[in-house]
Amino acid sequence: MKTILQKTVMVSLLAAAAGCVRAADVQIIASKDVNVAEISADDLKQIFLQTENSVGGAKVRPVLQKGGAAHEAFLKAYVGKSDDELQQYYKTLVFSGKGIEPKTLAGDAAVINFVALSKGVIAYVSDSAIVMGVNKIQVK
Amino acid sequence: MKTHTPGKSGVAPAILLTLVLGSVSANGQFSFFDSAVQIHSFFDEGYIKSNENNFLTMDTSAGSAIMAEGGVNVSWQALPNLRFSAQAYDHYIGEMGKGQLTLDFALVDYRVKDWFGIRGGKVKTALGLWTDTQDQTFSYTWALLPQSVYPVDLRSMSIAHQGGDIYGRIKFGRKNSISYDAYAGTIPDDPRGGYTYGLEQQGVKLNGGISGHTEGMDVRWNPAVDGLFFGTSFANNGRSFDGYLKEVIPVSYDTAMEHVLAFYGEYTHRRWRFDSEYRRTARDGDIAGLAVPVTNDTVEHGWFVTGSYRISKRLEVGSYYSGYDFSGVQKPQITAPWTGPGANYIHDPALTAHFTLTRFWDLKLEGHFMNGFGGPSAHGFYLFDNPAGLKPQTDMIVIRTAFFF
């Protein structure tokens, strides 16, 4: 019984650790005018699902990456939908008049460049990307 | 009784519709005043083969492919909190729609805060799980949504209103939120919809259109459990029309009361998805113009439970059970009571295989084993299309494919 309990605790800790690694695989960035230091995981999810469009009082719109490891890691860690499911979700918003598909860019460099030159944008890039000219946000 | 051969005259227009919508099925994005304009489109085509009863005004007992619909959408995000959207919609499903292009919605949306926004124009109605997304066959597992609650032939009765909405999302606690959408407006008339078709079946020829109004509210609770939500909707509707009964007797109809109440929920977990909804529609109508005034009071119950499982990226399987019953009291009784085996209810178990062929194209195969044929009008079964009478059992296969861009 004790062995089973120990194994269960071990597996849970490993799973939690794996989750942390996944979440840390991406950095959340925003335009300089989005003056917030941190965001909750739920608020981040709702912004990308377009059920919210502000953080810390600032209006924001999400920008997605066109596939890639950072995109997959972000969806898995924060949105809880696969890429196909998310695209389908956006289509239901569009065809019911309740939203618009977010802008999609290919690669970290394009995203960082766009965020740096835009106002009111929130996005994600891979953890290894060097981010400059943008506001880096911690997920609570 | 007027006899009618469903569907056959519509073959050429349906093919034309297919070609036209297929040719404009494209998406794109361009900039307008430094903000994004997007164009999207969807199109689906279906085929139904049933054993005896003809369904949805098609000649399904012989097999019918007169089942096409599509839309083209333009959206402009003018400002971060200001958006314009419009959608043209066309459908040709048996005698429904018949290729007439309609404005599905055209609205301006101004989102003041996360908890408060307004929409005005022609707006899709928030009622139950899927009223506003019922055309988007790509977004659900089923070839036909449970017809007890989302009958294809009565789509236009609830799909949109011309008026305004207030909506928003209010957070409370950790990860809990409530979304709301309250609306009021008029219901656009659809002379090629199932409501009018059902009236014609009962011998009523309309003078003009059907005028209607709706006021209602949808509230959805998202608890702190991923993939779970519950909701409830209420709508107060009214309809009126003038016409002739049997082409000689002037008659008019007014809804004294129509209340629609829905409860629903959804749970998704990994590859599983479950949905359920219960809907009650109580309607009291007054018929004037006859020798004596007639009251026509009806109650409809519709409900369903669905479950689906995604086996792989390309294949999802599912099943649902859909139930519908109808009861009515007419004083004095002027039409023959709707009785006999199969009258006043429909029990519809369905099995579905949903193939995701590409990111923009899917295909569904669905079997239905329906017992009963519902009320005296609408919900798919009409005496016009079944002049020899309706049988209690309808076994049916539905094939449907959709493209969305």
Side-chain angles (χ1 to χ4, degrees):
Chain A
M1 186 67 185
K2 195 178 170 187
T3 314
I4 293 170
L5 190 65
Q6 281 175 336
K7 283 181 178 172
T8 307
V9 170
M10 186 71 83
V11 167
S12 303
L13 288 173
L14 284 171
C20 290
V21 168
R22 208 176 297 128
D25 281 347
V26 292
Q27 304 175 74
I28 308 303
I29 59 171
S31 311
K32 280 286 190 187
D33 63 317
V34 182
N35 195 19
V36 292
E38 55 182 28
I39 186 172
S40 74
D42 188 52
D43 284 346
L44 187 62
K45 176 180 178 176
Q46 301 310 328
I47 286 168
F48 276 82
L49 294 180
Q50 297 188 19
T51 52
E52 291 181 13
N53 71 346
S54 65
V55 55
K59 290 270 181 253
V60 287
R61 58 194 159 103
V63 167
L64 294 172
Q65 291 216 18
K66 201 176 282 182
H71 180 62
E72 298 299 329
F74 175 77
L75 295 187
K76 198 163 190 176
Y78 296 117
V79 181
K81 289 181 186 291
S82 70
D83 184 51
D84 282 353
E85 288 169 343
L86 186 64
Q87 296 308 322
Q88 197 175 80
Y89 172 81
Y90 288 139
K91 290 279 193 299
T92 64
L93 293 183
V94 168
F95 291 127
S96 52
K98 291 181 177 169
I100 191 167
E101 283 193 352
K103 190 172 187 65
T104 305
L105 295 164
D108 289 343
V111 170
I112 293 166
N113 191 41
F114 181 78
V115 174
L117 295 173
S118 305
K119 285 184 176 176
V121 172
I122 188 165
Y124 51 88
V125 291
S126 60
D127 195 39
S128 57
I130 298 165
V131 295
M132 289 169 65
V134 299
N135 181 23
K136 194 171 166 184
I137 300 177
Q138 294 296 324
V139 181
K140 287 189 273 188
Chain B
M1 187 186 69
K2 180 182 172 184
T3 56
H4 172 76
T5 306
K8 286 175 181 163
S9 60
V11 175
I15 292 169
L16 184 64
L17 178 68
T18 305
L19 293 173
V20 170
L21 286 171
S23 65
V24 298
S25 288
N27 72 327
Q29 177 165 322
F30 58 91
S31 210
F32 183 63
F33 285 104
D34 287 335
S35 48
V37 177
Q38 293 181 356
I39 300 171
H40 296 275
S41 60
F42 68 94
F43 170 72
D44 67 72
E45 168 65 38
Y47 170 83
I48 299 183
K49 172 80 176 80
S50 60
N51 57 350
E52 287 183 289
N53 293 331
N54 287 319
F55 189 58
L56 283 176
T57 72
M58 292 184 275
D59 191 9
T60 56
S61 56
S64 177
I66 312 298
M67 189 180 189
E69 66 177 344
V72 178
N73 177 287
V74 181
S75 300
W76 176 37
Q77 190 74 45
L79 296 169
N81 51 1
L82 179 67
R83 181 171 46 80
F84 297 86
S85 289
Q87 185 162 292
Y89 173 80
D90 202 348
H91 70 300
Y92 208 123
I93 299 176
E95 295 295 309
M96 306 291 120
K98 301 184 87 169
Q100 187 181 45
L101 195 67
T102 58
L103 189 64
D104 206 22
F105 61 81
L107 59 90
V108 55
D109 182 323
Y110 183 63
R111 192 165 185 170
V112 184
K113 298 279 185 186
D114 287 333
W115 56 269
F116 182 75
I118 50 177
R119 291 188 189 108
K122 186 173 183 182
V123 185
K124 282 205 167 176
T125 303
L127 177 65
L129 271 172
W130 298 317
T131 293
D132 54 351
T133 58
Q134 59 187 291
D135 312 315
Q136 303 168 26
T137 61
F138 62 83
S139 70
Y140 46 81
T141 311
W142 324 106
L144 287 176
L145 284 177
Q147 295 295 288
S148 57
V149 178
Y150 298 100
V152 170
D153 47 338
L154 297 181
R155 170 193 184 276
S156 58
M157 285 182 71
S158 58
I159 190 79
H161 55 276
Q162 291 160 336
D165 290 33
I166 57 170
Y167 70 96
R169 181 172 181 271
I170 300 161
K171 290 188 284 188
F172 62 96
R174 184 171 167 78
K175 291 180 74 177
N176 273 278
S177 67
I178 284 183
S179 308
Y180 70 92
D181 189 322
Y183 55 88
T186 58
I187 302 170
D189 181 32
D190 179 11
R192 298 180 180 188
Y195 191 83
T196 303
Y197 195 73
L199 287 172
E200 287 173 356
Q201 174 186 265
Q202 294 177 74
V204 176
K205 187 161 178 61
L206 297 176
N207 267 347
I210 298 168
S211 60
H213 65 86
T214 182
E215 306 85 32
M217 187 164 186
D218 177 74
V219 178
R220 193 172 284 201
W221 172 43
N222 300 281
V225 177
D226 282 341
L228 178 68
F229 65 79
F230 301 100
T232 182
S233 307
F234 174 78
N236 174 62
N237 301 331
R239 278 183 189 78
S240 60
F241 59 81
D242 296 313
Y244 285 91
L245 186 62
K246 311 294 181 195
E247 298 192 351
V248 289
I249 308 164
V251 66
S252 66
Y253 174 86
D254 237 333
T255 309
M257 180 279 290
E258 181 180 308
H259 289 164
V260 183
L261 180 64
F263 298 99
Y264 59 88
E266 180 178 294
Y267 181 58
T268 53
H269 180 69
R270 296 182 180 168
R271 294 165 178 249
W272 291 95
R273 175 172 169 169
F274 302 95
D275 291 282
S276 187
E277 181 166 346
Y278 164 79
R279 193 176 291 191
R280 180 181 189 273
T281 304
R283 185 181 299 118
D284 294 350
D286 297 328
I287 303 168
L290 304 175
V292 289
V294 176
T295 60
N296 200 43
D297 302 344
T298 61
V299 177
E300 293 172 87
H301 299 99
W303 61 272
F304 63 82
V305 178
T306 78
S308 62
Y309 181 76
R310 179 160 286 284
I311 293 172
S312 68
K313 189 177 176 182
R314 299 284 177 217
L315 176 63
E316 181 184 27
V317 293
S319 178
Y320 67 69
Y321 194 96
S322 164
Y324 168 80
D325 66 70
F326 169 92
S327 60
V329 177
Q330 195 175 67
K331 290 180 184 172
Q333 191 77 42
I334 56 164
T335 53
W338 188 255
T339 56
N344 299 333
Y345 65 88
I346 303 174
H347 298 151
D348 178 19
L351 289 168
T352 310
H354 174 205
F355 300 92
T356 306
L357 302 175
T358 72
R359 196 167 170 172
F360 311 107
W361 179 26
D362 72 0
L363 174 72
K364 296 163 186 177
L365 302 176
E366 191 164 277
H368 287 258
F369 312 94
M370 303 167 90
N371 183 246
F373 45 79
S377 64
H379 276 260
F381 294 105
Y382 296 86
L383 288 172
F384 266 1
D385 313 316
N386 296 278
L390 285 154
K391 309 288 187 297
Q393 185 69 29
T394 307
D395 296 332
M396 191 167 75
I397 186 162
V398 184
I399 303 171
R400 210 163 186 189
T401 188
F403 303 87
F404 40 95
F405 302 92

